Amino acid sequence: MSDESVREATGTEAGYNPEAVEAKWQARWAERGTNQPDLDRAERPFYNLMMFPYPSAEGLHVGNMFAFTGSDVFGRFQRLRGHSVFEPIGFDAFGIHSENFALKVGMHPAELIPRNIANFRRQLARIGGMFDWRHELSTTDPRYYKWTQWLFLQLFKAGKAYKKAAAVNWCPTCKTVLANEQVIAGRCERCGTPVEQRTLEQWFFRITEYAERLLANLDNPALMDWSDTTATAQRNWLGRSEGAEIDFAADTGDVIRVYTTRPDTIFGATFMVLAPEHPLVDSLTTPEQRAEIDAYRATVAARDLVSRKVGERDKTGVFTGGYARNPATGEMIPIWIADYVLMEYGTGAIMAVPAHDERDLEFAHKFGLKVVPVIDDEGRLIDSRPFSGLPADEGKTAIIRWLEEQGAGTGVVRFRLHDWCISRQRYWGPPIPIIYCEEHGAVPVPEDQLPVLLPALDDFRPDDSGVSPLARHEEWYYAPCPICGRRGRRETDVSDTFLDSAWYFLRYPSTEFDDRPFDAERTRRWLPVAAYIGGNEHAVLHLLYARFITMVLHDLGMVDFDEPFRKFRAHGLIVKDGAKMSKSRGNVVVPDEYISKWGADTFRLYLMFLGPFQEGGDFRDEGISGPRRFLEKVWTLVNESVAQDAHGEIRRPVLVKWHQTKQRVTEGMESLHYNVAIAALMELVNALRDENCYERRIVEELVIMLAPFVPHFAEECWERLGHDTSVFDARWPEWDPGLTVTDQIEVAVQVGGKTRSRVRVDRDADEAAVLAVVHADETTRRFIGGKDIRKVIYVPGRLVNIVV
RNA sequence: GCCCGGGUGGCGAAAUCGGUAGACGCAUGGGACUUAAAAUCCCUUGGGGGCAACCCCGUGCGGGUUCGAAUCCCGCCCCGGGUACCA
């Protein structure tokens, strides 16, 4: 195409043709390498990361587009501020999502995934993201998962990975183990089936060892500048509680250790409750109670963990016949067992304080047990001997100290967080690189033998055996022990998808290296990630695991930072016409349709305009015409500016509007209030039109400020304005604070707190001068009437309030 | 239940170190241009009252603090998300 015909196609002064403009600039970017920073020499590197998508068969949905666009806008803004921005993209393509979908449509994921990825790639390119495609990755690529397996081995060697038989959450439909995080209200997060309890040998990572550090760093703004909502969600998930372990001596001579967060209420502990599985139950049970206890334990054992956790809350339980001494009161209190006490939390035994714990109270009422209040309405301890009168929090400290002196207890800190179970008895994931040998046990596959390739299995359907389908592939299953060479068996579990995504950001800058997971020099230059934007649905899973893995690598001396994401912001959710999008409602926004109708730029601009980025917004079809009309106005402005070659005196009001706009837009970009930044740009355009101003300097800066939102459009305008380099090589405009205020300002005049009048005064008029004008003001005098002025409040530059 | 968000015109939303509520956009209604329509441009648009200058009311509800509250405090209601016998 000749230059002339391109010009013709992208639009003339008469009209703007998004399709042609967008095709032209995407081709130009690819030719020029516009989006490819020099990873080895960039002087002001800025790693702009967005959460990589799972490549579903449906393609990118509008929520993805919203998230990616918002992140891309931020990256482009940083680029205009002079950074070399690295904005990679990839695909989180392993996992149950993909596998289940493949099963459903009767295809193999190895065929399905590349197809989906191709579609995603097309969509991502179409929307105009500033992606550096040289560094695309997929977690299913052996060149990637080789290093995921390597990562497992590093944890294994460092003693951070271990195997244990554990009661795990088992989804009978997906036929796999689920992490605690994947169980929502007792149901599988994916298929909604109630989860059962099973005991299997599982691989775990010792994330609990890092709980204190994971928590502490959240409060360190030098390491982490995160959305409050996300940080809070992590704090809650970590679930730190301060309490005490206290020993109660039973009449049998057994010592029952309980965990409580409320040692201050110990004088109100009138009975004890043990989990039915508690190892001391047998010993504590008297012969008369034996039959009843055994029956109860059998009933509980027959139920799965889930129905026990989420089932009816009616309290059940049985008296053991035994008693233990409350170390504070000296009283012998009865010992019960009940299923509301869980073996996996605390010590599996509690001191029950019915007066100050709802569950204990319910239990006490049901079984007629004693209730002794030990805290009064003012929150002070009562009937607690020497501690009576103390506020509860002071009492807690004092009682812990006293228990420690008695040797009856110790203050302890506990976390709700569990170790991370990474085993999955499924097919579509990286095989865990372990070989079992009769002689040597679990032996790591030597690193030079990685990757352990996932074999091509025609039948990858999981079964009920509790063993991965990989076990059915005999050729693969038997492998020589790396130590003795005798026949061993491979680990057949694959690792959790969350392990794939726990380190992908480390891989991006180093994708071309096949001999190392991440290059030291590249990593030093580009990490930690400068800005990470993603959904809050990953606030506790992905983000916590990624932090943990980073800490482990830091402690192994492999990276020199221990928090991977300097800045994290959670984006909001997009709804359609006020309702959540869903297929059944039929209100799903298909981005492709809008993009082909309106163009990527208009679509981007609308997404960023429809609500605050961090809160989301409501997508309405009628709304998109506004941003489009706005672009048409800018188009006219640019072409007119070129035609007139307008340079000259700028009238003061326009000058002020121009500088105010630069300030407001910059602040909006920094704080991700894109909707407000766009509104400010619209105001500027309206002002320029009202004033018939086509001033080149202003129009050029307008184009630069628009560029993050509408990159193709801005490039086209920039070229028409006579530039032969990318608009993204321009610099973000500066404003003059002295020019953001008008000569004359309007001051509101209130009488008794109600705005009654407005007066115009000079910008730098002092209080006396302002008041002189106010007192001369007719309307103000009318409202004061003859009343006495008691007080005058002057807020410089804003208002005067006359109190009568 | 608990923990996070949020509640402002017909609609999406601005304004939160307390200081002129409703910027910007959509949609209305009216007008211009046109044979007509589309597009475009101009004006109107929180509710009520008044010929008018203007006045009264108004940010989920009820109180409070203040010269002044969408914004702060107390007590509620509703919506969205997360989470739950975690002792």
Side-chain angles (χ1 to χ4, degrees), chain A residues 721-740:
Chain A
L721 285 161
H723 298 275
D724 54 11
T725 53
S726 169
V727 68
F728 294 101
D729 291 328
R731 283 296 156 266
W732 190 258
E734 310 269 338
W735 70 91
D736 178 346
L739 291 176
T740 56

Short mmCIF file of all heavy atoms in Angstrom, two decimals, chain A residues 721-740:
data_model
loop_
_atom_site.label_atom_id
_atom_site.label_comp_id
_atom_site.label_asym_id
_atom_site.label_seq_id
_atom_site.Cartn_x
_atom_site.Cartn_y
_atom_site.Cartn_z
N LEU A 721 0.43 14.86 13.03
CA LEU A 721 0.99 16.10 13.58
C LEU A 721 2.45 16.28 13.17
O LEU A 721 3.12 17.21 13.62
CB LEU A 721 0.87 16.10 15.11
CG LEU A 721 -0.56 16.36 15.64
CD1 LEU A 721 -0.70 15.89 17.08
CD2 LEU A 721 -0.91 17.83 15.53
N GLY A 722 2.94 15.36 12.35
CA GLY A 722 4.25 15.57 11.75
C GLY A 722 5.40 14.83 12.40
O GLY A 722 6.56 15.13 12.15
N HIS A 723 5.09 13.86 13.24
CA HIS A 723 6.18 13.14 13.91
C HIS A 723 6.46 11.83 13.18
O HIS A 723 5.53 11.16 12.76
CB HIS A 723 5.81 12.85 15.36
CG HIS A 723 5.59 14.09 16.15
ND1 HIS A 723 6.60 14.78 16.75
CD2 HIS A 723 4.46 14.77 16.41
CE1 HIS A 723 6.10 15.84 17.35
NE2 HIS A 723 4.81 15.86 17.17
N ASP A 724 7.73 11.46 13.10
CA ASP A 724 8.01 10.18 12.45
C ASP A 724 8.46 9.11 13.45
O ASP A 724 8.88 8.03 13.07
CB ASP A 724 9.00 10.33 11.30
CG ASP A 724 10.27 11.02 11.74
OD1 ASP A 724 10.45 11.17 12.97
OD2 ASP A 724 11.07 11.40 10.87
N THR A 725 8.36 9.42 14.75
CA THR A 725 8.63 8.39 15.76
C THR A 725 7.35 8.09 16.51
O THR A 725 6.37 8.83 16.39
CB THR A 725 9.69 8.88 16.78
OG1 THR A 725 9.25 10.14 17.29
CG2 THR A 725 11.05 9.02 16.12
N SER A 726 7.39 7.03 17.30
CA SER A 726 6.19 6.62 18.03
C SER A 726 5.82 7.68 19.07
O SER A 726 6.68 8.29 19.71
CB SER A 726 6.44 5.29 18.73
OG SER A 726 5.40 5.02 19.64
N VAL A 727 4.54 7.83 19.27
CA VAL A 727 4.07 8.74 20.32
C VAL A 727 4.57 8.26 21.69
O VAL A 727 4.75 9.03 22.61
CB VAL A 727 2.53 8.89 20.30
CG1 VAL A 727 1.84 7.59 20.71
CG2 VAL A 727 2.07 10.02 21.22
N PHE A 728 4.85 6.95 21.77
CA PHE A 728 5.31 6.41 23.06
C PHE A 728 6.78 6.72 23.33
O PHE A 728 7.30 6.41 24.40
CB PHE A 728 5.00 4.92 23.16
CG PHE A 728 3.52 4.69 23.19
CD1 PHE A 728 2.84 4.29 22.05
CD2 PHE A 728 2.79 4.95 24.33
CE1 PHE A 728 1.46 4.13 22.05
CE2 PHE A 728 1.41 4.80 24.36
CZ PHE A 728 0.75 4.39 23.21
N ASP A 729 7.42 7.33 22.33
CA ASP A 729 8.76 7.83 22.59
C ASP A 729 8.73 9.30 22.99
O ASP A 729 9.76 9.91 23.25
CB ASP A 729 9.66 7.63 21.36
CG ASP A 729 9.93 6.14 21.14
OD1 ASP A 729 9.99 5.41 22.15
OD2 ASP A 729 10.05 5.72 19.99
N ALA A 730 7.52 9.86 23.04
CA ALA A 730 7.38 11.24 23.51
C ALA A 730 7.41 11.24 25.04
O ALA A 730 7.47 10.18 25.66
CB ALA A 730 6.06 11.82 23.01
N ARG A 731 7.42 12.42 25.63
CA ARG A 731 7.43 12.51 27.08
C ARG A 731 6.10 13.01 27.62
O ARG A 731 5.50 13.91 27.05
CB ARG A 731 8.55 13.44 27.55
CG ARG A 731 9.92 12.80 27.52
CD ARG A 731 10.01 11.61 28.50
NE ARG A 731 11.04 10.67 28.10
CZ ARG A 731 10.81 9.57 27.36
NH1 ARG A 731 9.60 9.28 26.94
NH2 ARG A 731 11.79 8.77 27.04
N TRP A 732 5.71 12.44 28.72
CA TRP A 732 4.47 12.86 29.39
C TRP A 732 4.59 14.35 29.76
O TRP A 732 5.62 14.77 30.27
CB TRP A 732 4.30 12.03 30.66
CG TRP A 732 2.97 12.20 31.30
CD1 TRP A 732 2.68 12.97 32.40
CD2 TRP A 732 1.74 11.60 30.91
NE1 TRP A 732 1.35 12.89 32.70
CE2 TRP A 732 0.74 12.05 31.80
CE3 TRP A 732 1.38 10.74 29.87
CZ2 TRP A 732 -0.59 11.66 31.70
CZ3 TRP A 732 0.05 10.35 29.77
CH2 TRP A 732 -0.92 10.81 30.67
N PRO A 733 3.53 15.12 29.48
CA PRO A 733 3.64 16.56 29.70
C PRO A 733 3.74 16.98 31.18
O PRO A 733 3.24 16.30 32.07
CB PRO A 733 2.35 17.11 29.09
CG PRO A 733 1.44 15.96 28.94
CD PRO A 733 2.27 14.73 28.84
N GLU A 734 4.39 18.11 31.36
CA GLU A 734 4.53 18.70 32.69
C GLU A 734 3.56 19.89 32.77
O GLU A 734 3.22 20.47 31.76
CB GLU A 734 5.94 19.27 32.87
CG GLU A 734 7.06 18.34 32.51
CD GLU A 734 7.53 17.54 33.72
OE1 GLU A 734 7.29 18.02 34.85
OE2 GLU A 734 8.10 16.45 33.52
N TRP A 735 3.18 20.22 33.97
CA TRP A 735 2.31 21.40 34.09
C TRP A 735 2.97 22.44 35.00
O TRP A 735 3.85 22.11 35.80
CB TRP A 735 0.93 21.03 34.61
CG TRP A 735 0.89 20.60 36.05
CD1 TRP A 735 0.69 21.40 37.15
CD2 TRP A 735 1.04 19.28 36.56
NE1 TRP A 735 0.70 20.65 38.29
CE2 TRP A 735 0.92 19.35 37.97
CE3 TRP A 735 1.28 18.03 35.95
CZ2 TRP A 735 1.03 18.22 38.78
CZ3 TRP A 735 1.39 16.91 36.78
CH2 TRP A 735 1.26 17.01 38.16
N ASP A 736 2.54 23.66 34.82
CA ASP A 736 3.04 24.76 35.63
C ASP A 736 2.00 25.05 36.72
O ASP A 736 0.90 25.50 36.42
CB ASP A 736 3.23 25.98 34.72
CG ASP A 736 3.72 27.19 35.50
OD1 ASP A 736 3.65 27.17 36.75
OD2 ASP A 736 4.15 28.17 34.85
N PRO A 737 2.34 24.78 37.98
CA PRO A 737 1.35 24.94 39.05
C PRO A 737 0.80 26.36 39.10
O PRO A 737 -0.36 26.58 39.47
CB PRO A 737 2.14 24.63 40.33
CG PRO A 737 3.33 23.87 39.89
CD PRO A 737 3.64 24.32 38.49
N GLY A 738 1.62 27.33 38.68
CA GLY A 738 1.16 28.71 38.69
C GLY A 738 0.06 28.96 37.66
O GLY A 738 -0.67 29.93 37.76
N LEU A 739 -0.05 28.05 36.71
CA LEU A 739 -1.04 28.25 35.66
C LEU A 739 -2.29 27.39 35.84
O LEU A 739 -3.13 27.32 34.97
CB LEU A 739 -0.40 27.94 34.29
CG LEU A 739 0.65 28.94 33.83
CD1 LEU A 739 1.29 28.49 32.53
CD2 LEU A 739 0.05 30.33 33.67
N THR A 740 -2.38 26.73 36.99
CA THR A 740 -3.56 25.89 37.19
C THR A 740 -4.67 26.66 37.90
O THR A 740 -5.70 26.10 38.22
CB THR A 740 -3.23 24.62 38.01
OG1 THR A 740 -2.64 25.03 39.24
CG2 THR A 740 -2.27 23.72 37.26
#
